[in-house]
Amino acid sequence: MAVEIVYRSSRDPERLFMDKAEADRHDKMLELAERLGEVLLKAVPSLTEVQAEEAGIYMAKHRDLFAKAFKSSPDVLAALHEEEPA
């Protein structure tokens, strides 16, 4: 009988990872998504909590592109238009 070590995300307990670093990255992404959702709700009160959460997760998953766009290259966001819908 083999023994496997799995890691559970503290923010997403149903999700299991084989690598601790991957679980940590997922937790950090979800933490960023939560903060982004809070900011979006405050900035756009007409958003529902679900919409703010979905937008926050989307932005957190693509944080590198958004960081480049905010820094100096807004054109990098065009890559998101070419992405297949989830």
Side-chain angles (χ1 to χ4, degrees):
M1 178 164 82
V3 175
E4 288 183 347
I5 296 175
V6 294
Y7 298 90
R8 191 179 305 267
S9 166
S10 62
R11 291 181 172 272
D12 187 4
E14 283 101 43
R15 187 111 184 249
L16 299 176
F17 299 89
M18 300 305 287
D19 178 33
K20 183 182 184 313
E22 189 178 347
D24 288 339
R25 280 191 301 274
H26 186 71
D27 270 356
K28 287 180 182 179
M29 184 275 299
L30 291 177
E31 183 177 351
L32 175 60
E34 183 179 337
R35 300 291 175 254
L36 286 167
E38 291 168 357
V39 169
L40 290 169
L41 271 176
K42 188 172 183 177
V44 186
S46 62
L47 283 177
T48 67
E49 285 189 27
V50 171
Q51 290 170 325
E53 180 181 345
E54 289 174 356
I57 289 172
Y58 182 81
M59 292 174 73
K61 283 182 177 179
H62 297 89
R63 71 183 286 168
D64 293 337
L65 281 177
F66 279 99
K68 287 178 186 176
F70 289 139
K71 187 170 183 177
S72 64
S73 305
D75 294 340
V76 299
L77 294 178
L80 296 175
H81 292 293
E82 299 163 6
E83 188 179 89
E84 294 277 331

